[in-house]
């Protein structure tokens, strides 16, 4: 499977200027390609192919005095910017024709120098390399210092250099990694994700919600207030904006580290992991939006899924409409409406349930049933009363 390995970069001031130049050139090529296709569409002309577009906005543009500075950066960076544009168009067309499942994809938009994230990509054709001194050698940029938190498991196929809103630089390597199966274990678990507790497992274990954003709100409020007082376009405003971005980055890093630790622990301890297919986008439009975003359920479930595939575990999602909270895990009775304020309830059969633990147990049982039905294959519907035909054989009614 293909994974990304991210490392912090520490470029020198000169390398920062070279990276800024590369970010700008890639952005200009992307925008020039997008503008050319929009103009062709508005004029009623045919769609400009990838090869023709590359010739226009890169090869011929370099000969133009207004775009001659495109030759100062690696040609691979410019080609990859156009590749991103082509992928964006392909996703858009597949979305409107129905070939791409999921939410509709918007058409490509122009990139801005004010975007929170700037990125360029180098493939093997660019001949990037890791030097003997453990630095990342990038064409027309130089040898950039890397903070190696761990060794790369294999030769990377590409590297993306990213500058985030906080002004930090990262190298994101794409690596083809073989599966690393862990020794089989007996336990299976269902996971109920929530806000009171971040996650509750079917064995009764409860993972407290760290609420990283809530804990940082006081400091963020102070920084945002200071930012609002700064004059637009001033250096002090840029410094204040950077301070807010650094604080948000700190919150995001802490949340990501928490997700990695808990997901790895769950995958190592359980052979099968079953979760609900939550409608996070819908929940993010309610009054619980801030808490839902603070929890980061989608990122956590995504980690569970790819780590299960990497380590030879089983990952399964059940339908989001399954009444996990209202279903008695002892007798199977479904109760009526149950507000979120109800944390414990008693079934008519006499069983007393913790709402979250009961939901996790029901998720586990539903996941087991889904997997069992999948192993059995599609079940044929029962035939109606068979009647003999003229040949004397029996045929089921359609």
């Amino acid at each position: 499977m293909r994974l990304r390995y991210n490392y912090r970069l520490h470029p020198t001031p000169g390398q920062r200027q070279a990276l800024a130049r590369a970010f700008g050139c890639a952005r200009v090529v992307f925008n020039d390609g997008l503008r050319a296709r929009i103009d062709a569409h508005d004029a009623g002309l045919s769609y400009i192919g990838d090869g023709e577009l590359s010739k226009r906005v890169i090869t011929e543009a370099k000969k133009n005095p207004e775009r001659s500075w495109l030759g100062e950066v690696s040609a691979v960076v410019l080609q990859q910017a156009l590749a991103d544009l082509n992928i964006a168009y392909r996703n858009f067309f597949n979305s409107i024709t129905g070939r791409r499942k999921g939410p509709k994809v918007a058409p490509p938009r122009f990139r801005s120098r004010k975007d929170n994230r700037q990125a360029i990509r180098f493939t093997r054709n660019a001949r990037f390399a890791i030097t003997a001194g453990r630095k990342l050698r990038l064409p027309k940029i130089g040898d950039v210092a890397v903070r190696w938190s761990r060794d790369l498991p294999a030769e990377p196929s590409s590297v993306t250099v990213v500058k985030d809103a906080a002004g930090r630089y990262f190298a994101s390597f794409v690596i083809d990694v073989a599966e690393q199966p862990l020794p089989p274990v007996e336990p299976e678990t269902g996971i109920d994700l929530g806000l009171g507790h971040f996650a509750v497992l079917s064995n009764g274990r409860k993972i407290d919600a760290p609420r990283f954003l809530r804990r940082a709100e006081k400091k963020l409020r102070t920084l945002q207030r200071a930012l609002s007082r700064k004059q637009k376009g001033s250096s002090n405003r840029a410094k204040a904006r950077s301070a807010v971005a650094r604080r948000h980055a700190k919150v995001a890093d802490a949340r990501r580290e928490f997700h990695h630790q808990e997901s790895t622990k769950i995958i190592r301890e359980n052979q099968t992991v079953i979760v609900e297919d939550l409608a996070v986008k819908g929940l993010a439009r309610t009054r619980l939006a801030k808490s839902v975003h603070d929890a980061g359920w989608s990122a956590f479930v995504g980690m569970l899924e790819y780590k299960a595939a990497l380590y030879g575990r089983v990952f399964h999602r059940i339908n989001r409409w399954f009444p996990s909270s209202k279903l008695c895990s002892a007798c199977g009775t479904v109760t009526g409406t149950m507000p979120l304020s109800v944390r414990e309830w008693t079934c008519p059969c006499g069983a007393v349930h913790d709402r979250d633990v009961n939901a996790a147990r029901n998720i586990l049982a539903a996941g087991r049933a889904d997997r069992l039905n999948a192993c059995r294959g599609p079940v044929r519907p029962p035939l109606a009363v068979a009647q003999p035909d003229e040949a004397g054989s029996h045929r089921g009614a359609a």
Side-chain angles (χ1 to χ4, degrees):
M1 62 185 302
R2 184 167 291 179
L3 298 178
R4 283 192 176 274
Y5 284 72
N6 297 328
Y7 302 87
R8 183 77 180 269
L9 295 180
H10 296 282
T12 64
Q15 291 170 346
R16 289 172 184 262
Q17 293 181 0
L19 286 170
R21 190 181 305 116
F23 293 144
C25 290
R27 183 175 62 250
V28 166
V29 167
F30 183 96
N31 290 342
D32 286 349
L34 180 56
R35 171 55 60 193
R37 282 178 171 163
I38 290 176
D39 291 345
H41 179 269
D42 293 343
L45 303 177
S46 60
Y47 180 80
I48 303 177
D50 299 350
E52 175 62 23
L53 188 66
S54 175
K55 181 180 178 181
R56 276 194 208 180
V57 302
I58 297 179
T59 307
E60 294 180 356
K62 288 181 179 180
K63 302 175 183 177
N64 189 333
E66 295 181 355
R67 291 285 189 268
S68 59
W69 35 263
L70 291 176
E72 298 177 4
V73 302
S74 171
V76 173
V77 168
L78 308 181
Q79 291 291 347
Q80 291 302 306
L82 277 189
D84 291 339
L85 176 63
N86 297 332
I87 292 173
Y89 264 109
R90 193 174 306 119
N91 292 337
F92 171 63
F93 292 144
N94 290 341
S95 178
I96 60 179
T97 57
R99 288 195 295 269
R100 180 186 174 93
K101 305 302 179 183
K104 295 297 182 181
V105 177
R109 67 167 183 85
F110 289 101
R111 292 178 175 177
S112 170
R113 70 178 64 185
K114 296 181 180 180
D115 288 343
N116 289 334
R117 183 180 183 274
Q118 303 285 343
I120 53 174
R121 185 167 61 252
F122 298 88
T123 61
R124 286 177 178 170
N125 293 336
R127 297 181 181 177
F128 69 91
I130 298 173
T131 67
R134 304 284 287 168
K135 291 187 176 183
L136 176 61
R137 179 167 295 167
L138 300 173
K140 296 191 177 182
I141 292 175
D143 295 351
V144 185
V146 185
R147 183 187 296 175
W148 296 102
S149 55
R150 53 181 169 172
D151 293 332
L152 290 173
E155 190 73 19
S157 59
S158 69
V159 60
T160 302
V161 179
V162 180
K163 181 185 179 183
D164 67 4
R168 303 178 302 176
Y169 293 83
F170 295 90
S172 178
F173 296 93
V174 176
I175 308 288
D176 289 320
V177 180
E179 291 186 9
Q180 307 165 19
L182 293 172
V185 293
E186 289 296 329
E188 298 180 332
T189 190
I191 303 177
D192 178 61
L193 299 172
L195 297 177
H197 290 87
F198 174 75
V200 178
L201 278 58
S202 54
N203 61 5
R205 179 187 166 213
K206 296 184 177 181
I207 303 174
D208 291 333
R211 296 184 175 90
F212 295 106
L213 181 59
R214 295 286 185 183
R215 283 158 44 187
E217 273 187 324
K218 183 177 180 180
K219 181 64 175 178
L220 281 169
R221 193 179 300 116
T222 302
L223 294 174
Q224 285 286 169
R225 192 178 296 119
L227 174 62
S228 67
R229 296 193 181 109
K230 300 298 186 290
Q231 183 179 357
K232 291 186 178 180
S234 66
S235 298
N236 285 336
R237 185 177 178 87
K239 293 177 183 178
R241 185 208 59 79
S242 179
V244 173
R246 286 196 302 271
R247 177 59 60 170
H248 275 292
K250 187 175 181 179
V251 171
D253 290 346
R255 183 187 298 116
R256 189 182 305 110
E257 179 65 16
F258 168 75
H259 287 166
H260 273 297
Q261 290 179 356
E262 292 298 336
S263 60
T264 300
K265 184 175 181 179
I266 291 172
I267 290 297
R268 288 185 179 278
E269 294 177 351
N270 298 276
Q271 186 66 30
T272 302
V273 177
I274 302 168
V275 299
E276 276 185 302
D277 183 19
L278 294 173
V280 177
K281 287 187 176 180
L283 291 170
R285 291 194 292 266
T286 67
R287 60 185 177 85
L288 301 174
K290 182 180 289 187
S291 297
V292 170
H293 287 305
D294 195 8
W297 291 331
S298 294
F300 177 71
V301 172
M303 289 181 186
L304 287 174
E305 187 170 11
Y306 90 76
K307 289 180 182 181
L310 178 63
Y311 296 120
R313 301 305 200 208
V314 178
F315 177 85
H316 183 73
R317 298 175 191 256
I318 66 168
N319 193 297
R320 66 183 56 170
W321 303 112
F322 177 70
S324 58
S325 297
K326 299 187 293 184
L327 178 66
C328 175
S329 57
C331 68
T333 301
V334 179
T335 65
T337 58
M338 186 180 296
L340 286 174
S341 59
V342 178
R343 308 316 302 171
E344 289 189 1
W345 59 282
T346 303
C347 180
C349 71
V352 180
H353 296 296
D354 178 291
R355 179 192 183 109
D356 299 329
V357 175
N358 176 68
R361 290 171 179 169
N362 287 327
I363 290 171
L364 174 60
R368 285 172 172 170
D370 288 348
R371 293 180 56 225
L372 183 61
N373 292 335
C375 293
R376 289 176 177 173
V379 179
R380 296 181 61 184
L383 298 177
V385 178
Q387 300 292 338
D389 59 14
E390 296 179 355
S393 60
H394 289 71
R395 180 182 304 159

